[in-house]
Structures are given as C-alpha cells and as structure tokens.
Amino acid sequence: MFQDLSDILKALEKPLQFASKNGFSKLNAVKSLDSLVGDLALKALSLELTNAEAEIIKDIRDGFLDYEGLETDGKKKAIRKALEDLERLGELRSAGRIPSGTQRRRKRDAPEVSRDDAPITPEKESGDPFSTPVQFIKGVGPRIAALLEKRGIKTVGDALYYFPRRYEDRRIIKKISRAEPGRRETVMGEILAAGRVRTRRRAIYQAVISDGSGTLTLVWFQFNEKYLRNAYKKGARVILTGDVTVGYGGELQIIHPRPEDIEVIDEGGEIDDDNVHFCRIVPVYPLTEGIRQRRMRGIMKSIVDRYAHTVSLPVPLEINAGRGIADFGDALSRVHFPEGEDRVIDLSRADEVYGSPPHRTLAYSEFFLMELGLALKKRDVAESEGVAFHQTGELTGRLLSSLSFGLTSAQKRVLGEIGADMRSPRPMNRLLQGDVGSGKTIVAIMSMLAAVESGYQAVLMAPTEILAGQHLSSVLNSIKGMGVRVVFLKSGIGKREKNTYYKALASGEAQIAVGTHALLQEKVDFKNLGLVVIDEQHRFGVLQRASLMGKGVNPDVLVMTATPIPRTLALTVYGDLEVSVLDEMPPGRKAVRTRVFYDRKGSREKAYEIVRKEIETGRQAYVVYPMIEESENPDFKDIKYATQMAEELGNEIFPEFTVGLLHGRMKPEEKDAVMRRFMAGHVNILVSTTVIEVGVDVPNATVMVIENAERFGLTQLHQLRGRIGRGGHDSCCILISGFKRSEDADKRLSMMEETSDGFRIAEADLMIRGPGDFLGTKQSGLPQFRFADILRDWKILEEAREDAFRLVSEDPALSKYPELREEVTGRYGSIFELPAIS
C-alpha cells in the first residue's frame, strides 16, 4: 500500500534502475515494464498533485505507452528519459517547492485516470491563441508538443486550424446482435479472444468482440502480430467502427479494420452524454507517430472549448447576407466537434460541405479574404497612371502583310482585347492562355511592335535559355527590314557584350529586349519601357515579376502560359488579371496520335519501328527521359536515364541514324549547338530530358517517345507532346510505361490517349494532383488554405469572389471596415504585392 507520492516514486525508480544496470545488461529481465510504469503513474495521478508534479508523471507514463513495440535502443531511451524525469522531480521536491514526505490526500470522487486519455482541462487564463504555445495547454507538455510540431502545430491558433479529416457517427452505438451486414456500424464490447489462427491456406489474426448480445470477429490477413497482441489484449473494452460483413461460417466480421477505427477504453473510461469520444459525432484527426487518436481528440476538445470563441474574422454580416454564413467562432467549434443537431459531413463531397453552415462558413471566410486581396490589387492597378499607347499601325501592319498565314479568329479577338488595354491610360494586367501551338508568340510580337511604334520599349522574358532563344528567333524573323533593334540577355555572355546591350537599352537605341532571368539584373535599365511580356509566368516568383515591371513606370503587362488554367485557379492565382484565351488552333495543325506501350521487349520493338519508319521518310524524333543519369536511390532503379540511353540508342538500336543528347546540365553553348544541329536536320533523334518541354519548335519532328511516362504529370506530358505535330505532318506520341504504376498514373496515360484538348487535360490534372502540385506552390503565389479547397468548394469560391469584388467597388479603400482592411493586408499584402491601403 503506497502512503504518498514518495513511496510511488521509489517503487517506480527501482525497476528502472535495475533495467539500466551495467549498460542495460538486465533490460530483458524486467518484464511488463510498460504495465508497471502505467499502474504506478495512475496511482500517482490519483493523489493531490501540483501542476509541475502531474506534468512530469504524465511524461513518464506517456514514454511507456508503446514500450513493448520499441526496438532495444528505443527502450533504453525511454528508461533513460524516465530516470531523468524522476531526478528532475526529486530536485524540485528537495528544493522546497514541493513538500517532501507530505502525505497526499486522495481525491474522493476522482475516477481512475486512463493511461491513454489523461484528463485535459482548459487553461484558466487565455491570451492570443496565435501567440500561446500549445505546450502550455494542460495535458500537452514538452514531449507531446514536440510531436504536435511535426504536424505544424506550435501554437493554440495552429491547433484551432488543424481540422478533422473525417467524422464518425457515434451517437448510436449498436448492439452487436443488431449490426447489419453491408453497413458501416459502430459497436462496443470486450475482447474475448485474440491471436493467430491457422487456416488451410494461410495464417490470419483474429480478435473476437462480445457485448453480451452477440459476437463480432475482427480479421487481419496481413498483420504485425506483435503490434496487434500489444494493441488489442484479451479483456480490453473497445469501441470500433467498420464495414460489417458475413464470414464463411455465418459470423459477423470486419475485415482489416484500420487502427484509427478501433479505440481501447481503458479501465475507468466513462461513457456518458458529455464524453468526447462517444454518444456524439466524433472527429478523426490526422495523427503523427506517438499520439493516439483519443489523446489528440482530448487535446483538441480542450483547446476548442476554451479558445474557439475567441477567434473571429471581421467579415461584415451585411456583406454575406443570404449566404448562410454562421458566427465564425461557433462555426470553428462545430467543424471540430459537431453538435447534436448537426449532420455527419463527408468532407470529400462538395454538396455536403456546401450544405453545412459551419463548414461553408470556414471555406467562405478564407475565400472572401483572399478574393478581397485580389480585388484590392485590381483596384490599385486600375487607379494607377499607365501608358496610353498611340499605335500607328506602321510596324504591326508590315508584319501582318508579311505573314504567310492568316490569323485565326481567336488571335484577332485577343489582339483586339490587348489593343484596347494598351490604348487605355490605365496599366494593362492581362493573362494570355492558349494551348501548345495556338499562336501565342505571334500575338506577343504584334503587341511588342505596337509598343515600339508608339515610341516605347518592350521586353519579353522566358524561364529557360532554350525558350528565350526560340522567342528571339521568332522576333528576329518577324521584324526583318523594320529597323528595330533587339538585344538578347542571358547568363554566360561576355562582359563587353553585356555592357553594349545595357547601353543600348538605357539609351533607347534598342527597342526590344528578349532574355531570361538575366533581364532582372540591377544594371539592366530601360529608357522608356512600356510593355512587359512574361512567358510561362508561373515559373517565375512574385518578386521576379515585380522586379521586371519595376524597370518601367507602370508598364503594361502581358503574361502568357501554355498551361490552360482551370476556372477555379483563374479565380484565385490569376484573380486580379483580365484573361484572354486562344481557343482555336491555326489551320494545318493536325492532332497528334498518342499510344501507350508497356516496357517489354515486343512492345518496345514496335515503338522503335514507328520511330524508324518516320526517320526513313525524312522526319525527326525526340526520345525523352525523366532523369539525366543513374541515381543511387533504390526508388529509381527501374528508371531509364538520358546519358546511358543516348549511347544505347546510337550504338545498338539506331546505329544508322545520328543521335544527339540535350539536358539541363550542359553548358548553354553546348545546348545551343545541339539544338541548331537538330533544327538544321543534322541530328535524326534528339535524346532529351524535359528541357524541351516548352517553346522548342522543329516542324520536321513528327514522333516523340516518352520513357517512364508514368513518372510525368499530365500537363507535363501534354506540353512535351506539343513539341511535335507543328509542321502539318501526321505525328505520333509514344508513351512507354512500366507495369507497376499507380491508379493516378493510369488515369494520366488514359487521358493522354483519349484527348489532345489542353483544357480537358488541365482540369483532369488539377483533380489528380491538386492545385499546389499543379502550379508548383512556391512559385505560383497560390494562397495556402487551411480548410477551404478550391476544387471541392468552387461554388463557395464564386460566391465569395462576387461579394468581395462588390464590396471593393462600393468602398475601394475599405474605409468603413478598418479591421477587415488590416486582416487582408496582414494575410495577403506580400503575396499580392498590396501597398498600404488608404
């Protein structure tokens, strides 16, 4: 019988010291150490303890929750940590902060404390949740805080925005005898038996659950026996949710229940109407190793109850009237812990999220603030003094008359939209999107010549030297005999040549500059910059775009992309831009036939024969690989790489043809030389990585082979395919894929075979990859939403945009809503380059 805390601590220290003796030589001699530590910790926690005592004892207890599942080094670490904690507790007590030897009075009415679910009570004092470390929430402490930080939870505010990934309906816990096969049911019972069972075919693991009304068998065909034995012991009470089926013998069973769907109710765990884990709609959170679902849910309940109603967003109620928007703090609380009248929401379904006021409120609030930022940016551009171009038609007319082809109706429409913007005294801020081969380049050149004939300079920036060089060639071919000087700035050119170009731009002698990031250098200065054209603009960061625009006084800006932008992204990333779409292909361009081949001998030979026949008719081919050279990473052991395959193709497979190699690590002059030889027809087969993804234009190339096609994104495959079929000849894209590929990879390859419509492909790619991967989050400027999903919540997004733009049109400076103005600039000021709003 333990008299006080000192007795318990001595009993706790003794086996730990024994296990650690002589370099842990006795480690395996101490059996059931996790149970012993847990039992003693429970006894200690049932006494009257100070906060400091309780926190240390909980840390010791939590360190042994998964002790039996640890490797030897992990067990040693847990014991050392526990001994250090006991020493720290002893130092506190001996220092006089905690009376030594004082008998602790047992709480008369305190229930036994669950090892997995220690009591967590709200803090008595609260401050700003976004500056309150989560470590100081009762029941967390340093160890749990370190685990939460792995999930990005450092403050109470972070926790409030850490949302459930799904919900379980535990309002009704069914008797096992009434569970219905084919339905997802929640039941509770005691484990009567658990262990490995040998069948005729294989060994399985079973756990038989009973609640007195009947039995239910949990079945695992693939299992870690050690884990299951430790997790689900005979005699334990569990509550579980799963899809009920009928076994061969007619018994009810659940096959392969997920760990997060089974919760062990330790002795003393109560089930009543106020319980966090039962008799309600229960949130299921994403976890990190070391924290169980019950523990996480308890922590979140404590935080939400205390802090959710302290958080508000200054979105005026009169703005969103009729949208079904609830009080923000109440919505935040109910998204975490739905109330009795709420429905169980499937977070993957747009209609269910839209139909739930708490969930709709969170999504709307995030979208509204972002769209308000976009509306303010658009307002700033509209109110700025820009360049009003007075086009004479001298240069643009000469170019039109020299073209060997007529412009499409889409090109004419877009040039009209751009022309109207350029004549306006307000700065143009327009996105030009069009599929590969739709004729964006000639639209850009016409726009630049319109600026030049109005007395201004123009600049065109591209992300790669190959693409910039391609644009330079197109510009030079278009302006022959016009007396317009063009300079080309890229890395690697000599100092004397660079200085010559700098002087030409600064003096106005050069009217057009084409280049890469080299255009952003501080020494690059323009005399009278009027138009900025940025190609494949999503590859440039916000600051890079701003830097180029800053080289003029509010110049007109035309950004181009060959990646069709789905509507949802057009309302977010590009929401401040006017959008022009080239939705018509020039006459003579034929659709490229696409075929998928498996990576096996017979199939590969068929693919190579297609290449051989095309080259024998005088055409050329690309062969694209995902990697430059072999990787030591075992995940890439089946990946073919460009350097080795260039040799194999040239020496063994196509010895009769000339094979060239192009990749990103080559020096610029080497890449230029290879491309010139290929464009001149001296190279039959160009082996390459994705450096040819955009901008390369070789009309004679009619066949492309893409190796390990399952490794590429859908939009990237479409961009690569766009390098062929540019000369009016029948063309073929061959996708060679391994047998082992994901479901998403199958979807991508099927879509490539099915269509060449860039907008359909972009929508499909966005659905498969999500917006962050689609654009490249770091470069895109895409706001990171905590709850809202631009794909799922597109209807809410459109409503929020409508409301935000209406508000800015009525109150451009947000003078009636200073708190809202402050919130928007705090969140999106740097992303959207918002100045101080006044």
Side-chain angles (χ1 to χ4, degrees):
M1 183 73 180
F2 297 103
Q3 298 299 315
D4 61 14
L5 183 60
S6 296
D7 293 337
I8 295 174
L9 297 182
K10 287 175 186 176
L12 189 55
E13 184 178 17
K14 189 173 180 180
L16 296 174
Q17 290 285 12
F18 181 78
S20 65
K21 268 187 178 181
N22 302 322
F24 289 91
S25 61
K26 304 289 186 182
L27 180 64
N28 295 323
V30 183
K31 303 299 183 184
S32 302
L33 192 54
D34 56 342
S35 298
L36 178 62
V37 172
D39 291 342
L40 291 171
L42 286 176
K43 289 180 172 64
L45 288 168
S46 69
L47 302 176
E48 288 283 0
L49 303 177
T50 67
N51 286 341
E53 287 175 307
E55 290 299 328
I56 294 174
I57 290 169
K58 286 175 189 174
D59 280 346
I60 294 171
R61 178 203 61 192
D62 292 347
F64 284 81
L65 289 178
D66 301 311
Y67 180 81
E68 289 301 323
L70 298 175
E71 299 294 336
T72 299
D73 286 345
K75 290 180 178 180
K76 291 178 181 178
K77 186 176 179 181
I79 292 171
R80 287 194 194 99
K81 175 69 166 54
L83 288 170
E84 289 172 4
D85 287 340
L86 286 171
E87 184 178 353
R88 181 160 56 97
L89 185 54
E91 288 173 356
L92 285 173
R93 291 164 62 80
S94 63
R97 300 178 199 175
I98 301 172
S100 180
T102 301
Q103 183 171 335
R104 306 299 172 114
R105 178 174 57 84
R106 185 184 180 89
K107 292 181 182 178
R108 291 178 181 270
D109 301 320
E112 285 291 313
V113 182
S114 163
R115 290 172 55 198
D116 186 49
D117 194 32
I120 301 169
T121 57
E123 296 292 282
K124 292 181 179 178
E125 297 180 10
S126 64
D128 176 12
F130 295 95
S131 61
T132 302
V134 74
Q135 173 180 334
F136 299 124
I137 294 298
K138 194 169 181 64
V140 179
R143 190 185 75 84
I144 298 296
L147 295 175
L148 292 174
E149 190 170 345
K150 293 179 181 179
R151 280 283 178 176
I153 302 174
K154 296 181 181 179
T155 68
V156 168
D158 295 331
L160 288 172
Y161 282 90
Y162 188 75
F163 295 107
R165 56 186 177 84
R166 62 184 179 87
Y167 301 96
E168 290 283 7
D169 190 351
R170 295 185 182 173
R171 290 173 293 189
I172 300 175
I173 299 176
K174 274 198 174 180
K175 291 290 186 184
I176 290 176
S177 61
R178 304 194 65 178
E180 299 178 45
R183 294 178 63 91
R184 190 168 178 82
E185 304 278 28
T186 298
V187 299
M188 184 172 62
E190 180 181 337
I191 300 177
L192 298 182
R196 175 193 287 260
V197 176
R198 175 55 91 175
T199 67
R200 270 189 240 171
R201 296 182 180 179
R202 62 194 303 178
I204 62 175
Y205 196 92
Q206 292 183 338
V208 180
I209 314 296
S210 173
D211 64 355
S213 74
T215 61
L216 174 74
T217 303
L218 309 183
V219 182
W220 290 268
F221 293 106
Q222 296 176 333
F223 56 90
N224 179 329
E225 184 173 357
K226 187 175 181 181
Y227 166 77
L228 291 176
R229 282 192 182 279
N230 188 54
Y232 311 121
K233 296 176 181 178
K234 180 180 178 181
R237 281 199 307 157
V238 296
I239 182 168
L240 65 142
T241 302
D243 298 314
V244 178
T245 61
V246 179
Y248 291 117
E251 73 280 6
L252 295 177
Q253 61 182 18
I254 295 177
I255 306 296
H256 271 290
R258 297 175 298 185
E260 63 262 35
D261 290 337
I262 309 174
E263 292 184 16
V264 177
I265 310 166
D266 289 325
E267 187 176 349
E270 297 296 328
I271 300 179
D272 54 44
D273 291 341
D274 296 324
N275 202 292
V276 177
H277 313 289
F278 312 107
C279 304
R280 67 183 307 145
I281 299 172
V282 172
V284 179
Y285 291 93
L287 298 178
T288 188
E289 188 176 354
I291 301 181
R292 297 184 185 182
Q293 188 63 237
R294 287 167 64 83
R295 181 75 172 168
M296 186 70 187
R297 194 180 296 130
I299 291 170
M300 293 301 299
K301 187 68 166 69
S302 174
I303 290 172
V304 168
D305 284 353
R306 183 66 189 91
Y307 287 95
H309 291 280
T310 70
V311 180
S312 62
L313 285 181
V315 180
L317 291 176
E318 63 269 25
I319 301 288
N320 51 49
R323 300 294 192 195
I325 304 304
D327 172 77
F328 187 82
D330 182 61
L332 189 61
S333 178
R334 288 167 62 190
V335 165
H336 281 285
F337 292 93
E339 296 178 353
E341 70 275 13
D342 292 331
R343 293 181 296 110
V344 180
I345 300 301
D346 181 346
L347 292 172
S348 67
R349 295 193 52 174
D351 57 336
E352 294 200 12
V353 172
Y354 185 82
S356 167
H359 295 83
R360 184 166 70 247
T361 296
L362 295 196
Y364 177 93
S365 298
E366 288 195 285
F367 285 147
F368 179 80
L369 291 173
M370 178 209 59
E371 290 294 344
L372 203 57
L374 289 169
L376 290 168
K377 181 176 181 180
K378 202 165 186 177
R379 179 214 67 172
D380 290 336
V381 173
E383 291 183 351
S384 301
E385 284 294 329
V387 178
F389 293 93
H390 301 287
Q391 303 162 32
T392 65
E394 178 188 355
L395 300 179
T396 52
R398 288 176 64 179
L399 174 57
L400 278 175
S401 62
S402 70
L403 294 177
S404 59
F405 54 86
L407 296 179
T408 66
S409 58
Q411 287 172 318
K412 292 175 183 176
R413 182 188 71 247
V414 167
L415 282 169
E417 293 167 350
I418 293 171
D421 280 356
M422 293 182 71
R423 288 189 294 274
S424 165
R426 304 300 180 196
M428 175 172 72
N429 206 16
R430 184 169 288 276
L431 167 68
L432 171 60
Q433 59 171 320
D435 209 346
V436 286
S438 59
K440 295 182 297 299
T441 303
I442 192 65
V443 170
I445 294 172
M446 287 283 290
S447 302
M448 289 192 291
L449 288 179
V452 172
E453 68 186 16
S454 300
Y456 290 88
Q457 293 167 294
V459 60
L460 192 164
M461 183 169 72
T464 67
E465 289 187 12
I466 290 176
L467 181 53
Q470 193 77 46
H471 282 314
L472 176 68
S473 177
S474 298
V475 171
L476 292 176
N477 287 334
S478 300
I479 64 168
K480 285 179 181 176
M482 293 187 186
V484 176
R485 183 177 174 187
V486 180
V487 300
F488 184 46
L489 282 172
K490 61 175 184 175
S491 61
I493 60 177
K495 186 175 181 181
R496 179 178 296 179
E497 188 177 3
K498 269 195 294 191
N499 287 335
T500 300
Y501 292 159
Y502 293 161
K503 289 177 182 177
L505 291 172
S507 66
E509 180 186 346
Q511 295 96 338
I512 294 177
V514 178
T516 61
H517 297 75
L519 289 164
L520 303 175
Q521 294 176 6
E522 193 174 330
K523 291 183 179 179
V524 178
D525 194 16
F526 293 83
K527 180 182 181 181
N528 197 18
L529 180 61
L531 176 65
V532 172
V533 181
I534 303 174
D535 196 13
E536 292 304 319
Q537 74 94 34
H538 62 279
R539 297 190 177 202
F540 294 100
V542 169
L543 295 178
Q544 291 171 318
R545 298 195 295 269
S547 174
L548 187 58
M549 291 158 60
K551 294 183 181 295
V553 180
N554 293 331
D556 280 6
V557 177
L558 178 67
V559 296
M560 306 193 300
T561 178
T563 303
I565 307 301
R567 176 170 172 75
T568 48
L569 287 185
L571 295 179
T572 50
V573 183
Y574 305 104
D576 62 313
L577 305 180
E578 301 297 334
V579 180
S580 291
V581 181
L582 288 173
D583 50 8
E584 181 183 358
M585 300 298 282
R589 282 216 58 160
K590 295 185 177 181
V592 176
R593 185 166 51 100
T594 303
R595 298 178 60 186
V596 177
F597 289 83
Y598 283 108
D599 186 6
R600 59 188 176 194
K601 187 176 180 182
S603 185
R604 182 174 289 280
E605 287 175 352
K606 289 179 183 178
Y608 286 154
E609 189 56 32
I610 294 172
V611 174
R612 181 172 279 105
K613 285 182 179 178
E614 285 295 307
I615 298 175
E616 286 173 348
T617 62
R619 308 292 169 231
Q620 292 166 279
Y622 297 100
V623 183
V624 181
Y625 294 92
M627 299 180 69
I628 298 174
E629 56 191 28
E630 189 173 12
S631 170
E632 295 179 0
N633 188 328
D635 291 343
F636 301 143
K637 61 183 176 64
D638 297 324
I639 303 300
K640 295 187 180 297
Y641 48 99
T643 51
Q644 182 200 41
M645 291 306 299
E647 291 184 19
E648 187 175 318
L649 290 171
N651 297 332
E652 301 175 23
I653 299 170
F654 299 111
E656 70 271 38
F657 301 131
T658 304
V659 176
L661 174 64
L662 182 73
H663 59 74
R665 292 186 194 166
M666 296 169 66
K667 294 179 180 178
E669 56 270 22
E670 293 174 335
K671 287 189 280 190
D672 288 344
V674 171
M675 280 308 303
R676 281 197 298 270
R677 292 189 66 216
F678 187 59
M679 294 172 74
H682 301 314
V683 171
N684 306 114
I685 301 172
L686 182 62
V687 174
S688 173
T689 57
T690 55
V691 293
I692 61 151
E693 181 182 346
V694 291
V696 176
D697 187 3
V698 181
N700 194 48
T702 58
V703 62
M704 173 177 285
V705 178
I706 303 177
E707 291 276 5
N708 296 112
E710 74 280 1
R711 291 271 174 172
F712 293 89
L714 185 51
T715 300
Q716 193 173 38
L717 288 172
H718 181 61
Q719 293 290 324
L720 288 167
R721 180 171 61 182
R723 298 308 103 212
I724 58 176
R726 305 177 77 87
H729 308 292
D730 289 331
S731 299
C732 180
C733 180
I734 298 168
L735 307 176
I736 298 182
S737 168
F739 284 98
K740 294 181 179 179
R741 61 192 189 207
S742 66
E743 183 180 344
D744 284 348
D746 274 333
K747 290 178 183 176
R748 291 194 294 270
L749 299 184
S750 297
M751 179 61 70
M752 285 291 291
E753 281 189 300
E754 184 181 322
T755 184
S756 58
D757 183 332
F759 284 92
R760 278 191 63 196
I761 285 173
E763 289 283 0
D765 200 19
L766 183 61
M767 292 297 293
I768 292 171
R769 297 166 62 194
D773 287 339
F774 181 86
L775 286 170
T777 301
K778 290 182 180 178
Q779 291 294 309
S780 70
L782 178 68
Q784 297 301 291
F785 302 114
R786 286 159 158 168
F787 177 78
D789 182 312
I790 64 173
L791 303 180
R792 179 193 66 194
D793 304 325
W794 62 270
K795 189 174 181 181
I796 303 173
L797 170 61
E798 291 189 334
E799 291 178 353
R801 179 177 175 84
E802 180 184 327
D803 294 344
F805 274 72
R806 185 177 68 249
L807 176 60
V808 171
S809 70
E810 296 170 355
D811 184 2
L814 298 183
S815 55
K816 297 179 183 176
Y817 309 102
E819 290 183 1
L820 183 59
R821 181 176 62 197
E822 185 178 344
E823 183 75 27
V824 173
T825 52
R827 287 196 185 202
Y828 296 115
S830 59
I831 294 177
F832 297 147
E833 306 157 57
L834 296 176
I837 300 173
S838 58

